[in-house]
Amino acid sequence: MKILSAAQIRLADQYTIAHEPISSLALMERAATQCTQWLTARLRPHTPVWVFAGTGNNGGDGLAIARQLHGQGYATAVFVLGAAKYSADCAANLTQYEALGLSINYLHHISDFPPIPPNVLVVDALFGSGLNRPCDGLAAALIEHLNASRANIVAIDLPSGLFCEDNSQNIDENIIAAGHTLSLHLPKLALLLPDYQHKIGQMHVLPIGLNEDFIKNQHTDYQFITLADCAAMYRPRQQFGHKGTYGHALVVAGSRGKMGAAVLATRASLRAGAGLVSVLTAECGYTILQTTAPEAMTLLNEGENYLQGKIPELTAYQAIGVGCGIGTETETAMFLGEILGNYQRPMVIDADALNVLATRPDWHGLIPAQSILTPHPKEFSRWAGRWDNDTHKLQLLNDLSKKLQCHIVLKGAYTAIAHPNGQVTFNSTGNAGMATGGSGDTLTGILTALLAQGYTPETASILGVWLHGFAGDCAAAHYGQEALIASDLAEFLGEGFKALGKEKQQNSLL
Ligand SMILES: NC(=O)C1=CN([C@@H]2O[C@H](COP(=O)(O)OP(=O)(O)OC[C@H]3O[C@@H](n4cnc5c(N)ncnc54)[C@H](OP(=O)(O)O)[C@@H]3O)[C@@H](O)[C@H]2O)[C@H](O)CC1
Ligand SMILES: [K+]
């Protein structure tokens, strides 16, 4: 699913209107219907709904939603901010709403702002993708008033006051704090970045039938990965495959006290479909690994408590995942340097391997091109320095990806993957329950297994992050987010592969 700019979305609107063809008013009606259906599927009967509308098409959406809800028996009230020039479709919906004998409350001054009763649902239709300057004056005052009311707010298209892309100059209190944001047809970049998640709430993308061919031809550096996208990348098992077909993954992980990281990465690698998995760890982990991951071969190095000494022959492995729980002892750093110096295929580099390399920039040239690095934000800041806001962070992510020619998976909600070609992929799966120790080790195992099976690094990075999050969603549905632990993730990976297979099969029948 592409992430388009506000200008591109407007072009998609116009193209759809011209080529479907459909009138802009009918397209607005279609958008409103999607929002109304979303609302009525969740509203308790007879919940009063108060729509705060602007004078543009976002406001037009709001007025159409209010009319549709009224038609379904909901008690609605409409408040229009100012009475400046209305867009044609907003004016048309004003007329239609009034034609029902329903009154419109015009807000000209702060004194016009109504107190919001606690049981009212507020629909925010003040501004959408047409916001072209930070909110101020009466608009800012109304946003502050609505936020202060602590009402449940559903934002149409965007929380009013939030720009589609760059909010680096925005002011937090001038943005609606919504519990849910109904993004029309495509997500906007700002809805996928952490800075304003407290304003966006849960994002829902509602299709409104924009012309897909037009969208497909639009260039964008940003994509939001979905089940359909991943199914297209997924390669189901062939009948005559054998374990050699699916590669040999090497997990280099673990040290005394952090052997669980090696177990999690190894088990995830097995569950993610590698034909063979070996795990290279310190001697103290031998019995642990042989017991918890008997399907994997355990290699020992010369270190009792952490990796050190001579490295094994590496040519037998189609992929190596290194870093989980290895610690940052000097001998371990030397061991890592040896591995980097003797392996040229793309690797997965995570956790302590990232921390070791962050302090050794002179070793960065040893990182094989197209490798997959998987920092969490703190590990990333050790590589890229601090950032002021999400826009700056994305720039740093892109810069590092291009500099190293690697795929950088910046874990978070939503996980963002910067690719060396300048593209950035945002993941659509996962939940807060996955913010638990060992979740990253599991992702490293998955990515290593996908590389070993011959997926390209770009595909492996996207598919692996999606599978990891999908397994997390299944685990959260089963255990609840609080009770979800990292070892659950590998157990639900199969659900992700089954979902991909089903989606692929359905599409292939077309
Ligand atoms: N394809 C789709 O996604 C569809 C989206 N729809 C809805 O349309 C809006 C976008 O509508 P638009 O009319 O372009 O703009 P807005 O409604 O977001 O904004 C209204 C006008 O407000 C003015 N403006 C901008 N910034 C401010 C500000 N800070 N303070 C005050 N006023 C502001 C601006 O006019 P100016 O003349 O003042 O510049 C805007 O034009 C989209 O979000 C969807 O909700 C369609 O309904 C269906 C298809
Ligand atoms: K809005």
Side-chain angles (χ1 to χ4, degrees):
M1 190 182 279
K2 288 193 171 185
I3 298 167
L4 299 185
S5 67
Q8 288 176 307
I9 290 170
R10 266 193 293 281
L11 290 173
D13 260 11
Q14 290 156 19
Y15 187 90
T16 304
I17 289 164
H19 291 82
E20 188 165 313
I22 181 174
S23 72
S24 59
L25 193 59
L27 183 58
M28 179 175 283
E29 193 70 16
R30 193 154 77 185
T33 302
Q34 284 285 25
C35 297
T36 302
Q37 284 172 354
W38 187 92
L39 287 165
T40 52
R42 293 160 177 82
L43 278 175
R44 281 190 298 279
H46 313 304
T47 302
V49 179
W50 289 14
V51 175
F52 287 81
T55 56
N57 287 349
N58 196 245
D61 285 349
L63 289 159
I65 292 164
R67 171 173 35 84
Q68 292 174 3
L69 286 172
H70 174 79
Q72 295 186 40
Y74 288 90
T76 59
V78 165
F79 301 85
V80 174
L81 178 66
K85 59 186 184 346
Y86 295 99
S87 71
D89 293 345
C90 184
N93 271 288
L94 265 177
T95 307
Q96 287 188 50
Y97 190 78
E98 286 174 323
L100 296 173
L102 299 168
S103 61
I104 301 263
N105 304 283
Y106 291 95
L107 307 176
H108 299 292
H109 306 290
I110 290 179
S111 56
D112 297 334
F113 296 170
I116 315 287
N119 64 327
V120 160
L121 173 80
V122 167
V123 170
D124 157 35
L126 295 171
F127 303 110
S129 56
L131 188 80
N132 55 31
R133 55 194 187 275
C135 283
D136 59 6
L138 195 64
L142 177 57
I143 288 170
E144 201 170 336
H145 175 76
L146 293 174
N147 287 344
S149 75
R150 320 293 296 164
N152 285 328
I153 301 178
V154 174
I156 304 304
D157 210 24
L158 285 150
S160 293
L162 190 73
F163 293 104
C164 282
E165 288 94 35
D166 183 352
N167 287 280
S168 51
Q169 306 309 313
N170 213 331
I171 306 159
D172 191 275
E173 56 267 21
N174 289 354
I175 301 169
I176 281 281
H180 295 271
T181 295
L182 309 185
S183 184
L184 298 173
H185 205 76
L186 297 168
K188 282 82 185 166
L189 178 61
L191 299 179
L192 300 169
L193 299 171
D195 278 355
Y196 289 102
Q197 284 305 316
H198 62 295
K199 296 288 184 176
I200 296 157
Q202 280 182 56
M203 179 191 73
H204 311 269
V205 180
L206 304 185
I208 64 169
L210 294 186
N211 187 291
E212 290 303 340
D213 290 338
F214 177 86
I215 291 170
K216 209 177 289 171
N217 293 328
Q218 288 297 298
H219 171 74
T220 174
D221 287 334
Y222 303 112
Q223 62 169 342
F224 184 61
I225 210 72
T226 62
L227 168 63
D229 301 317
C230 288
M233 300 176 193
Y234 168 58
R235 294 200 312 257
R237 287 277 161 117
Q238 299 310 314
Q239 192 179 354
F240 301 107
H242 54 79
K243 61 188 176 195
T245 316
Y246 304 108
H248 192 167
L250 176 65
V251 172
V252 182
S255 59
R256 183 174 291 280
K258 297 198 275 187
M259 208 44 79
V263 173
L264 289 165
T266 303
R267 290 182 58 77
S269 232
L270 289 162
R271 285 283 187 207
L276 286 171
V277 177
S278 291
V279 51
L280 172 58
T281 189
E283 281 179 20
C284 65
Y286 185 74
T287 309
I288 297 168
L289 267 299
Q290 286 281 276
T291 310
T292 57
E295 301 88 352
M297 292 165 279
T298 302
L299 306 176
L300 282 187
N301 79 123
E302 295 169 13
E304 166 60 28
N305 297 321
Y306 46 76
L307 293 165
Q308 63 182 36
K310 266 179 11 47
I311 63 170
E313 177 52 50
L314 299 176
T315 48
Y317 306 107
Q318 280 69 46
I320 296 178
V322 59
C324 304
I326 63 170
T328 51
E329 302 289 344
T330 306
E331 298 90 330
T332 301
M334 294 304 127
F335 190 87
L336 172 64
E338 277 298 297
I339 288 179
L340 289 171
N342 289 277
Y343 192 77
Q344 280 71 42
R345 290 180 177 167
M347 302 168 66
V348 181
I349 303 176
D350 184 29
D352 287 327
L354 290 172
N355 294 329
V356 164
L357 287 167
T359 58
R360 292 173 175 77
D362 49 324
W363 288 11
H364 292 179
L366 293 173
I367 300 171
Q370 293 295 317
S371 289
I372 304 171
L373 279 59
T374 59
H376 56 54
K378 191 164 172 45
E379 288 160 344
F380 180 57
S381 67
R382 290 191 193 111
W383 281 72
R386 301 229 30 86
W387 52 85
D388 306 323
N389 51 61
D390 282 329
T391 303
H392 182 202
K393 180 185 71 180
L394 269 185
Q395 191 52 57
L396 292 172
L397 201 60
N398 264 324
D399 295 348
L400 184 63
S401 171
K402 283 182 187 146
K403 183 177 151 211
L404 298 176
Q405 282 299 294
C406 289
H407 305 270
I408 317 278
V409 176
L410 182 58
K411 295 178 278 196
Y414 303 76
T415 289
I417 310 169
H419 306 286
N421 64 4
Q423 294 278 311
V424 179
T425 301
F426 291 91
N427 184 34
S428 61
T429 59
N431 61 80
M434 296 172 68
T436 179
S439 184
D441 304 321
T442 305
L443 176 60
T444 296
I446 296 168
L447 295 169
T448 308
L450 294 175
L451 278 181
Q453 293 169 73
Y455 284 102
T456 66
E458 177 173 350
T459 300
S461 67
I462 296 172
L463 206 47
V465 163
W466 185 89
L467 279 164
H468 181 247
F470 188 92
D473 290 338
C474 294
H478 187 85
Y479 289 110
Q481 291 193 8
E482 290 80 0
L484 191 163
I485 55 177
S487 42
D488 301 328
L489 299 173
E491 303 317 306
F492 283 96
L493 275 174
E495 293 307 311
F497 285 110
K498 287 192 290 185
L500 291 172
K502 190 164 162 244
E503 175 79 8
K504 195 174 189 75
Q505 199 176 27
Q506 274 166 352
N507 290 348
S508 64
L509 296 179
L510 296 180

